Amino acid sequence: MSDTLSLQGRTALVTGSSRGLGAATARRLARAGCDVVITYRRKDREAAAVAEAVEATGRRAWVHRCDMSRIDHIDALMDAVEDPATGPGRLDVVVANAAATSFRPLMDAQPRHVERTFAISVTGFLRLVQRAVPLMEAGGGGRIVAVSGADTVTWIPAHGILAAAKAALESMVAYLACELGERGITVVGVNPGWIDGDSLQLMLGPFYEAAADVERRTHPMRSTMSPDDVAETVALLCTDAARLTSGSIVRADGAGVFAFCGRFIQLAAEQAMAAGAVDPGDGDAPSVVGPT
Ligand SMILES: NC(=O)c1ccc[n+]([C@@H]2O[C@H](COP(=O)([O-])OP(=O)(O)OC[C@H]3O[C@@H](n4cnc5c(N)ncnc54)[C@H](OP(=O)(O)O)[C@@H]3O)[C@@H](O)[C@H]2O)c1
C-alpha cells in the first residue's frame, strides 16, 4: 500500500514562489521529495535562490517568469511546463499562491485596482487550473491548493478588494472540487492568518513592531506564524492523505482568526489593568483575561 502522506517523486508548480509563503512552500515541497516549478513576477534573483534551495535537496527546479494577471503569460508558462525540453512535462500538484492588490478602502478603489486584483486571483487562477488539469489528468490525477486570506472572514483595514477576489477564489475552489473530482483531481483552499513575513512588514510600515507584539501576546499559541510554519500545512494539503478536504477552505492560523473577539477583550482587560483602571481582585472573581 502506498504512503498517502508521501510526496516523493511528485512534480509541483507554485505560483509566486520567489518570496514569502510561495518560496517557503517550494522549499518545503522539495524537502518532501517534489520537483518544483517556481514562478515569479519581478524578483528574478530571489526566484533563482529558491531554485538553488530546491536543487540542494536533490530535486529538480525550473524557474519561469509569469505575471498571473496576464493570460498570455500563463499560457506561455503552461506551454513550457508541458514540454519536457523546457519543463517537467508532467504535473501532480499546483499551489496557486501568487496575489497582489492595491491596499485601500473600497470607497477609494478605482476600476483598475479591482480589475488587476481579480485578474490575478480569479481570472488568472481559473486559466491556470484550466491549463493544468489536462496535464494532471494525463498523469493520473492531482491536487490543487489555492491560497486564500483571512480577509474573507474578518475585516482587515484596506483589504476590501483583495477580500472580494479571495472570496471569489474560495467559491471557485468549491465548484472546481465538484467538477474535477471524477477526473481524479481534488481542489482545496488554505486560509492562513497573519504570516510574519516581508509583505506584512511592508503593509504595516511603522506599526509593524507594535502589531507583531500584540499578535504574539494574544494569539492562542502565543506566537506569530512564519511562512515556513504555514508551508507545513500547505504541504500537508498537497498529499493524497488530505484528499477528503477537497472543496473545503482549511484554516491554517492556529485559531488566531476565530479568537479575534476574545483577543480584543483580553487586550482591553490587560490594558485597563496595566493602566491601574481596574482592580484585578483576589483571584477568586471570574476573569476575562485568561492564561497569559
Ligand atoms: N502575508 C500574510 O499575512 C498573508 C495572510 C493570509 C494570506 N496571505 C496570502 O498568501 C499568499 C502569499 O502571501 P505572501 O505574503 O507570502 O506574499 P509576498 O511575500 O508578497 O509574495 C508574493 C509573491 O507573489 C508574486 N507575485 C506578485 N504579483 C504577482 C503577479 N501579478 N503574478 C505572479 N506573481 C506575482 C511575487 O513575485 P515577485 O517576488 O517577483 O514580486 C511573490 O513571489 C497570497 O495569496 C496572500 O494573499 C498572506
Side-chain angles (χ1 to χ4, degrees):
M1 193 175 158
S2 68
D3 179 2
T4 55
L5 279 167
S6 171
L7 289 167
Q8 198 66 38
R10 302 279 166 97
T11 301
L13 183 159
V14 185
T15 67
S17 41
S18 50
R19 293 185 285 124
L21 176 58
T25 299
R27 292 190 301 259
R28 183 64 187 91
L29 291 177
R31 289 201 304 280
C34 293
D35 294 338
V36 187
V37 181
I38 293 148
T39 81
Y40 70 101
R41 180 188 47 163
R42 284 196 300 230
K43 306 274 183 178
D44 50 357
R45 280 194 206 151
E46 282 85 344
V50 176
E52 269 178 36
V54 167
E55 285 167 351
T57 68
R59 305 309 309 185
R60 297 181 74 191
W62 299 264
V63 179
H64 291 282
R65 177 168 182 266
C66 175
D67 184 336
M68 285 295 295
S69 70
R70 299 266 307 264
I71 297 297
D72 58 334
H73 279 213
I74 297 167
D75 283 342
L77 166 70
M78 291 310 300
D79 288 347
V81 168
E82 281 169 11
D83 185 346
T86 50
R90 60 168 295 139
L91 206 51
D92 306 296
V93 171
V94 170
V95 180
N97 164 78
T101 191
S102 180
F103 292 112
R104 60 185 63 231
L106 284 176
M107 292 304 285
D108 294 341
Q110 299 299 315
R112 68 176 190 283
H113 300 135
V114 180
E115 282 158 14
R116 185 156 169 76
T117 305
F118 274 68
I120 300 166
S121 293
V122 182
T123 319
F125 167 69
L126 184 57
R127 181 63 159 211
L128 181 71
V129 169
Q130 288 170 341
R131 287 294 311 260
V133 162
L135 193 55
M136 295 171 116
E137 201 176 13
R143 271 187 86 67
I144 297 168
V145 180
V147 181
S148 187
D151 42 25
T152 61
V153 285
T154 190
W155 176 59
I156 305 178
H159 269 246
I161 307 170
L162 186 60
K166 294 285 192 177
L169 177 84
E170 291 186 3
S171 276
M172 286 196 293
V173 164
Y175 270 77
L176 287 165
C178 296
E179 294 179 14
L180 296 175
E182 65 180 359
R183 295 168 72 174
I185 292 165
T186 55
V187 190
V188 64
V190 60
N191 201 331
W194 164 305
I195 306 175
D196 202 4
D198 296 346
S199 64
L200 207 70
Q201 291 187 21
L202 197 71
M203 193 184 83
L204 292 171
F207 306 110
Y208 166 76
E209 285 300 342
D213 179 57
V214 172
E215 173 71 10
R216 247 175 253 118
R217 281 194 296 119
T218 65
H219 190 283
M221 292 179 171
R222 299 293 183 264
S223 69
T224 56
M225 290 175 304
S226 69
D228 288 325
D229 293 330
V230 181
E232 291 291 330
T233 303
V234 175
L236 194 63
L237 291 174
C238 292
T239 66
D240 291 346
R243 72 191 179 93
L244 295 189
T245 60
S246 194
S248 307
I249 307 300
V250 175
R251 289 198 189 174
D253 69 344
V257 174
F258 175 73
F260 268 146
C261 184
R263 295 167 73 180
F264 177 81
I265 294 169
Q266 179 184 323
L267 192 63
E270 280 176 11
Q271 285 175 346
M273 285 200 292
V278 174
D279 178 0
D282 59 7
D284 289 338
S287 168
V288 295
V289 181
T292 54

